[in-house]
């Protein structure tokens, strides 16, 4: 008892019992049950006092990867994982209780500091704005600053609008002057043209025109389209407009024609059958055409995405089909050339025969005359 009196001051003992301050000091030490210690030990957390929820979660995840039934590890154990999960929940509950207790003590300290603080210090911040608690005054001060900022923005926008309106007024006045000048010039030209037309009509230049008194047939009729749509399309075409899919379709046709002409010319130059050197040259030409066909098929894909009707879509161009087409056309061209050559030879033979017959006739006709001439000579 004497040792206890030496350790505890006399002011802390009041009527034979300990004061609340001493009770709080003695109760602040670690007071943990055996099951909770076992939970900490199971989670492998030796430092109980300085253990945070993040450490607890990290330890739980590490053990779950080892003992979870679905982890696929050789250490998987459903019963041990259940114990780990129960220990994790118990430790989290203890951590939350300890955090609440620490928060309550901090709140008590803050209340004491508020009672000790001077009352006039609350007027030293927030520009003396607002009333109530510091948090309420802070909200009022923030609202006041937001209102001031919005008012400044509105004033700035009003000034900018006034400045823009003044500049627009000057530009509008200049545009009006230029527009009026253009209108005067246009009206003068129209009056001149009208006078020339009236003079021509007075002279009778428009009396013998074909189709006089009949309506102008500007647009042709299309029974498969709406008249309004057809007329709008004609107007667009007359003004040089072409839809993107029409331009793409034209490019595809030109590209295909160029590729087929290359294949046909290259195959026509080669012999039939081809030699090894000609076969190598033909393979090189086919390889270059294949690269062009890849680009052409990309154009076909883009065309199929933008074409308005499904029936107008195209299929991809294949090298084998184009090569066979070129070989057939080259063979047909070769046959036509042979046929033309045969016809040319026959024509030359006929011409030669006719020339020989004409020469013989001339010789037969001239032979008596030649005899008489020789006789008198």
């Amino acid at each position: 008892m004497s040792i206890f009196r030496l350790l505890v001051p006399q002011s802390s003992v009041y009527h034979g019992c300990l004061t609340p301050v001493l009770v709080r000091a003695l109760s602040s030490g670690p007071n943990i049950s055996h099951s909770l210690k076992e939970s900490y030990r199971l989670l492998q957390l030796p430092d109980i006092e300085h253990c945070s929820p993040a450490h607890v979660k990290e330890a739980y995840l590490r053990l779950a990867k080892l003992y979870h039934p679905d982890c696929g590890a050789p250490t998987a154990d459903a019963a041990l994982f259940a114990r780990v999960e129960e220990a994790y929940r118990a430790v989290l509950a203890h951590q939350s209780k300890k955090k609440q207790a620490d928060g309550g003590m901090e709140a008590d300290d803050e209340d004491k500091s508020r009672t000790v603080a001077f009352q006039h210090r609350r007027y030293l911040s927030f520009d003396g704005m607002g009333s109530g608690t510091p948090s309420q005054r802070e909200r009022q001060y923030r609202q006041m600053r937001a209102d001031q900022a919005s008012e400044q923005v509105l004033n700035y926008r009003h000034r900018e609008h006034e400045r823009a309106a003044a500049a627009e007024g000057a530009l509008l006045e200049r545009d009006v002057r230029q527009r009026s000048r253009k209108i005067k010039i246009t009206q003068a030209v129209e009056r001149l043209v009208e006078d020339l037309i009236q003079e021509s009509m007075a002279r009778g230049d428009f009396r013998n025109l074909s189709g006089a008194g009949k309506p102008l047939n500007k647009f042709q009729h299309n029974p498969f389209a709406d008249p309004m749509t057809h007329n709008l399309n004609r107007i667009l075409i007359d003004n040089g407009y072409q839809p993107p899919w029409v331009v793409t379709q034209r490019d595809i046709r030109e590209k295909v024609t160029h590729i087929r002409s290359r294949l046909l010319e290259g195959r026509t130059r080669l012999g039939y059958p081809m030699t090894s050197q000609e076969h190598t040259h033909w393979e090189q030409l086919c390889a270059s055409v294949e690269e062009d066909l890849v680009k052409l098929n990309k154009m076909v894909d883009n065309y199929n995405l933008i074409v308005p009707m499904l029936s107008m879509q195209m299929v991809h161009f294949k090298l084998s089909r184009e090569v066979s087409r070129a070989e057939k056309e080259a063979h047909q061209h070769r046959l036509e050339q042979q046929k033309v050559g045969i016809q040319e030879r026959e024509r030359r033979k006929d011409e030669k025969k006719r020339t020989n017959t004409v020469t013989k006739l001339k010789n037969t006709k001239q032979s008596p005359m030649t005899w008489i001439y020789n006789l008198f000579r």
Side-chain angles (χ1 to χ4, degrees), residues 187-338:
Q187 290 177 354
V189 173
E190 289 178 355
R191 284 197 300 269
L192 178 60
V193 172
E194 186 66 25
D195 294 340
L196 294 175
I197 292 173
Q198 292 296 332
E199 291 178 1
S200 299
M201 291 176 66
R203 289 195 303 267
D205 295 338
F206 300 129
R207 291 177 183 176
N208 297 324
L209 292 177
S210 62
K214 297 180 181 179
L216 295 175
N217 189 12
K218 184 174 178 59
F219 303 115
Q220 298 178 356
H221 177 64
N222 185 5
F224 302 102
D226 181 42
M228 182 63 69
T229 305
H230 178 66
N231 294 339
L232 290 175
N233 291 335
R234 291 300 308 172
I235 291 171
L236 291 174
I237 291 171
D238 292 341
N239 287 275
Y241 174 76
Q242 291 182 349
W245 64 271
V246 173
V247 178
T248 307
Q249 187 183 36
R250 182 194 62 194
D251 296 340
I252 291 173
R253 287 199 299 266
E254 293 178 354
K255 192 76 172 176
V256 169
T257 305
H258 178 67
I259 290 174
R260 289 176 178 174
S261 63
R262 280 184 59 195
L263 286 173
L264 180 59
E265 291 176 0
R267 187 64 185 87
T268 306
R269 293 195 195 98
L270 303 176
Y272 189 83
M274 293 183 292
T275 62
S276 60
Q277 186 177 0
E278 291 177 346
H279 190 71
T280 304
H281 180 70
W282 175 247
E283 288 181 352
Q284 292 177 358
L285 179 61
C286 292
S288 64
V289 168
E290 186 176 6
E291 295 178 358
D292 295 338
L293 286 178
V294 171
K295 299 178 182 178
L296 180 62
N297 290 329
K298 291 182 180 179
M299 293 175 63
V300 170
D301 293 336
N302 296 331
Y303 168 78
N304 292 334
L305 291 175
I306 60 178
V307 70
M309 289 184 290
L310 187 63
S311 60
M312 299 179 66
Q313 290 188 348
M314 297 181 180
V315 297
H316 283 188
F317 295 91
K318 294 183 179 180
L319 180 62
S320 58
R321 188 165 55 221
E322 297 299 327
V323 168
S324 62
R325 179 192 182 99
E327 289 180 349
K328 289 180 181 179
E329 291 182 357
H331 182 65
Q332 186 176 0
H333 182 69
R334 190 179 299 105
L335 293 178
E336 290 178 356
Q337 285 182 348
Q338 291 177 358

Side-chain angles (χ1 to χ4, degrees), residues 8-125:
V8 180
Q10 294 295 330
S11 60
S12 300
V13 182
Y14 181 72
H15 293 290
C17 63
L18 295 175
T19 60
V21 177
L22 185 59
V23 172
R24 186 182 299 170
L26 293 176
S27 63
S28 62
N31 188 10
I32 302 175
S33 62
H34 179 70
S35 61
L36 191 58
K37 290 182 180 180
E38 184 66 21
S39 299
Y40 273 98
R41 186 193 63 78
L42 187 60
L43 292 176
Q44 300 177 4
L45 297 170
D47 194 359
I48 298 176
E49 290 297 326
H50 300 88
C51 185
S52 62
H55 296 159
V56 176
K57 186 176 181 180
E58 183 180 358
Y60 171 70
L61 291 176
R62 185 178 66 255
L63 294 176
K65 291 178 182 178
L66 291 175
Y67 303 124
H68 197 277
D70 299 332
C71 67
T75 58
D77 190 351
L80 186 56
F81 176 72
R83 290 177 57 193
V84 169
E85 188 173 7
E86 185 177 358
Y88 173 64
R89 293 178 181 176
V91 170
L92 282 183
H94 176 256
Q95 292 283 338
S96 62
K97 289 180 181 179
K98 185 170 67 172
K99 187 175 180 181
Q100 290 178 1
D102 296 340
M105 292 178 64
E106 291 177 358
D108 294 339
D109 296 338
E110 185 178 357
D111 293 338
K112 289 181 180 180
S113 63
R114 284 181 180 177
T115 55
V116 173
F118 295 102
Q119 297 295 325
H120 69 276
R121 292 191 60 184
R122 62 192 181 96
Y123 297 103
L124 299 179
S125 59

